[in-house]
Amino acid sequence: MLRFLLTFILVATITSALLAQAPKPEATQYTCVMHPEVIQDHPGRCPKCGMELVPIKEDHRKHRTSNVEHRTSNEEAVHQTAHHDHAMHEMKMQSSVNLADPMTQEGSGTSWLPDSSPMYERMFMLGQDMLMLHGAAFPRYTNVSTRRGDDRIDAPNWLMGMFSHPLGDSAQFGVRLMMSLDPLTEGGRGYPLLFQSGESWHDQPLHDRQHPHDLFSELSVTYSQKFTPDLSSYIYFGYPGEPALGPPTFMHRISAMDDPDAPLGHHWQDSSHVTFGVATGGLVWRTVKIEGSVFTGREPDEDRYDFDRPRFDSASGRISWNPTPDLALQFSHGYLKSPEGLEPTVNRHRTTASIIYNKALGHDANWATTFVWGQNDDTHEGKTQSFLLESNFQHQRDTFYTRLERVEKSGHELVLEGADLAKIFPIYAASFGYVHDFTHGNGVDVGLGAQFTIDHRPDELDRYYGDEVGYGLEVFLRIRPSLHRHHEMVDAMK
């Protein structure tokens, strides 16, 4: 019995030693090309952005000699190159504004989106430099009711390029250019939008129309520096550009990107996204950002092709916090000197707060929701409020979206008459839309969409709008780059 036990122990020991010397296959690990810090030992989806995880390839090959592993000098070079490529890979996935921020977090100006936001854009690698292109166009027919309504064929649109160049391992230079052909497709009056207000045409204030955007909506440069893994800063200059005031502007929010119309509260929340003269400095600590801007308070003039005179007579501050990959929160306040050219003595204090939620729901599915509150405190008029709730659900080729708004607008904003000029009127609007993509995921998404908006106004406004129910109906094509996928990013980096 003892001999049997000793024999068994000896055999087990020898077997264990042989197994220990035998090479063990390394377990495959998986990562996200957008978030290289995410590493799992099984396939699946990135918990931050929902992209499919890809396997991490071995950095070296193994050479066996007498059951002992040796690495050749050539393989060592391959190993070092792989590590270099991985470091470059991580660097190239960063925001063009601040190299410490992930690319998915980059909103309009220097604002933040949730880290899990999808990207509808095309990427090109130019050596170590990165170029991203995105935009949208909405050829459409729109019909707006009431005496102040209109119907027309038009095409709101915009195009943006973002370029970044690394300056060593801890600094980056960025350039952004945003343009719009609205001056051609919309004309000087813009498009019909019931109860919309802001800016002017032929020296008369626009009402019940959304003004066109300038040909050049942003031309900005940034320099960012990373001091530690948790601490970074940046400086941003735009002419035009966007100060640190308000949430990401509507066309850059995932919750609004399928809606062709601007919000009725645009000039309470995010209208400063085209400002001729902006300088911003920001400090980022982990998931919190504090930034301040000096900028031109005057809104763009009626000439949509020129560059307005920079004044740098206004200021703003904003604090942003992304507590989770799915949330982006901000609070901001700004002083705008003489924003309206027709009323040069009127100044404005604007305060905004917003919550943006984004949730990747698996492969090619996403849900985004935004709540925005904005308040204007104008000289002689006092405080007026705006509230917005919008949501967008996308599943493969189909997208459903909605926008709900309540905005307090003065008779002056709505261009009324007599005693009504000084009154404040609560305006309600609810929009519901649907888009189906006929081409999807092949570089350019082209979808056919329809939207219906119903508005509610106080009875006092019937003398201006008539007794008819206020509504807007539009049928449109939505044209934009396809969702940026991991395999496209890998191909671009080859």
Side-chain angles (χ1 to χ4, degrees):
M1 184 66 181
L2 180 59
R3 181 181 298 177
F4 173 78
L5 290 175
L6 292 174
T7 303
F8 176 79
I9 293 172
L10 180 61
V11 171
T13 302
I14 294 174
T15 302
S16 300
L18 292 175
L19 290 175
Q21 291 184 9
K24 296 181 180 179
E26 295 184 6
T28 302
Q29 292 185 313
Y30 298 82
T31 188
C32 173
V33 296
M34 287 301 304
H35 303 94
E37 69 275 11
V38 175
I39 299 177
Q40 296 180 178
D41 58 3
H42 55 83
R45 305 287 175 186
C46 174
K48 291 187 175 183
C49 67
M51 284 188 173
E52 181 181 353
L53 300 180
V54 297
I56 300 176
K57 296 182 179 180
E58 291 186 48
D59 291 335
H60 60 276
R61 301 178 182 272
K62 296 182 178 180
H63 176 71
R64 296 183 185 177
T65 303
S66 302
N67 293 327
V68 179
E69 297 177 359
H70 297 284
R71 181 175 297 170
T72 66
S73 59
N74 182 54
E75 290 165 342
E76 185 67 32
V78 172
H79 175 74
Q80 293 175 356
T81 302
H83 277 288
H84 173 74
D85 290 344
H86 180 69
M88 293 299 299
H89 172 84
E90 289 192 20
M91 179 178 63
K92 291 172 181 174
M93 298 304 102
Q94 309 312 310
S95 162
S96 65
V97 174
N98 183 11
L99 81 167
D101 298 338
M103 186 188 304
T104 53
Q105 204 175 67
E106 184 171 353
S108 61
T110 59
S111 63
W112 274 354
L113 294 168
D115 188 56
S116 62
S117 299
M119 300 187 304
Y120 294 90
E121 51 197 3
R122 300 298 302 274
M123 185 181 83
F124 303 90
M125 297 308 303
L126 310 172
Q128 296 183 8
D129 303 331
M130 180 192 72
L131 175 65
M132 300 291 293
L133 298 177
H134 66 137
F138 294 88
R140 66 177 180 173
Y141 168 75
T142 181
N143 185 290
V144 176
S145 70
T146 78
R147 295 175 189 165
R148 290 188 162 193
D150 195 4
D151 67 298
R152 65 176 296 177
I153 296 175
D154 66 348
N157 63 88
W158 60 277
L159 175 68
M160 187 170 188
M162 301 177 294
F163 174 83
S164 60
H165 173 73
L167 301 173
D169 295 331
S170 59
Q172 178 180 272
F173 174 74
V175 179
R176 302 206 303 187
L177 171 65
M178 182 172 176
M179 301 180 68
S180 173
L181 294 179
D182 276 3
L184 293 177
T185 63
E186 306 305 318
R189 292 182 65 205
Y191 58 80
L193 183 59
L194 211 56
F195 302 112
Q196 185 63 297
S197 58
E199 302 195 17
S200 64
W201 175 241
H202 288 164
D203 295 325
Q204 296 297 319
L206 285 170
H207 63 86
D208 301 286
R209 304 189 78 89
Q210 168 61 37
H211 63 77
H213 291 105
D214 282 44
L215 176 64
F216 291 96
S217 299
E218 182 176 11
L219 179 57
S220 65
V221 296
T222 58
Y223 173 81
S224 59
Q225 178 77 45
K226 183 161 62 174
F227 302 107
T228 72
D230 294 328
L231 181 63
S232 62
S233 67
Y234 62 86
I235 52 175
Y236 165 100
F237 295 97
Y239 182 61
E242 179 178 332
L245 179 60
T249 194
F250 64 93
M251 68 271 288
H252 290 275
R253 298 195 296 261
I254 305 302
S255 57
M257 66 186 312
D258 289 288
D259 189 333
D261 289 338
L264 296 183
H266 182 46
H267 284 262
W268 277 252
Q269 301 163 2
D270 54 3
S271 64
S272 57
H273 68 106
V274 183
T275 298
F276 284 91
V278 179
T280 300
L283 187 66
V284 180
W285 171 255
R286 296 183 178 176
T287 60
V288 177
K289 174 173 62 174
I290 299 176
E291 52 189 338
S293 299
V294 292
F295 59 96
T296 300
R298 178 68 55 87
E299 293 179 340
D301 61 23
E302 296 180 12
D303 187 346
R304 302 296 176 177
Y305 296 95
D306 70 346
F307 287 80
D308 300 355
R309 179 171 67 90
R311 303 167 187 258
F312 294 100
D313 52 9
S314 305
S316 67
R318 178 169 61 195
I319 181 168
S320 303
W321 180 37
N322 284 21
T324 75
D326 294 335
L327 278 174
L329 293 74
Q330 70 84 30
F331 177 84
S332 56
H333 179 80
Y335 167 75
L336 293 80
K337 183 176 180 179
S338 186
E340 297 286 352
L342 298 180
E343 301 176 282
T345 62
V346 174
N347 301 319
R348 175 172 297 156
H349 289 267
R350 176 174 296 163
T351 308
T352 79
S354 64
I355 301 173
I356 302 178
Y357 174 78
N358 188 86
K359 184 65 176 179
L361 301 176
H363 178 65
D364 202 8
N366 193 80
W367 177 38
T369 299
T370 298
F371 171 78
V372 184
W373 166 77
Q375 174 185 272
N376 282 343
D377 187 357
D378 289 0
T379 306
H380 310 309
E381 187 173 285
K383 298 178 180 178
T384 52
Q385 316 275 342
S386 71
F387 301 88
L388 174 146
L389 179 65
E390 62 190 17
S391 192
N392 180 295
F393 173 74
Q394 175 262 328
H395 182 264
Q396 298 180 359
R397 293 176 178 266
D398 300 301
T399 301
F400 300 86
Y401 65 89
T402 185
R403 176 184 288 158
L404 309 175
E405 291 191 83
R406 182 188 187 276
V407 187
E408 296 175 346
K409 298 209 171 188
S410 68
H412 181 77
E413 283 275 348
L414 296 173
V415 193
L416 305 184
E417 299 173 352
D420 291 333
L421 280 171
K423 294 181 181 179
I424 304 296
F425 300 93
I427 304 297
Y428 299 84
S431 298
F432 305 92
Y434 168 75
V435 182
H436 176 78
D437 284 347
F438 290 101
T439 65
H440 184 79
N442 296 316
V444 177
D445 292 349
V446 179
L448 177 63
Q451 177 176 295
F452 179 74
T453 301
I454 187 166
D455 303 277
H456 175 74
R457 62 185 184 272
D459 294 339
E460 298 169 83
L461 296 180
D462 286 352
R463 59 177 293 206
Y464 303 97
Y465 290 86
D467 298 331
E468 187 179 357
V469 174
Y471 70 84
L473 177 64
E474 53 191 276
V475 179
F476 59 88
L477 289 177
R478 191 261 290 119
I479 305 170
R480 71 181 181 201
S482 299
L483 178 67
H484 192 75
R485 302 183 186 280
H486 65 83
H487 62 83
E488 296 172 350
M489 184 173 297
V490 172
D491 291 341
M493 295 184 65
K494 290 181 179 179

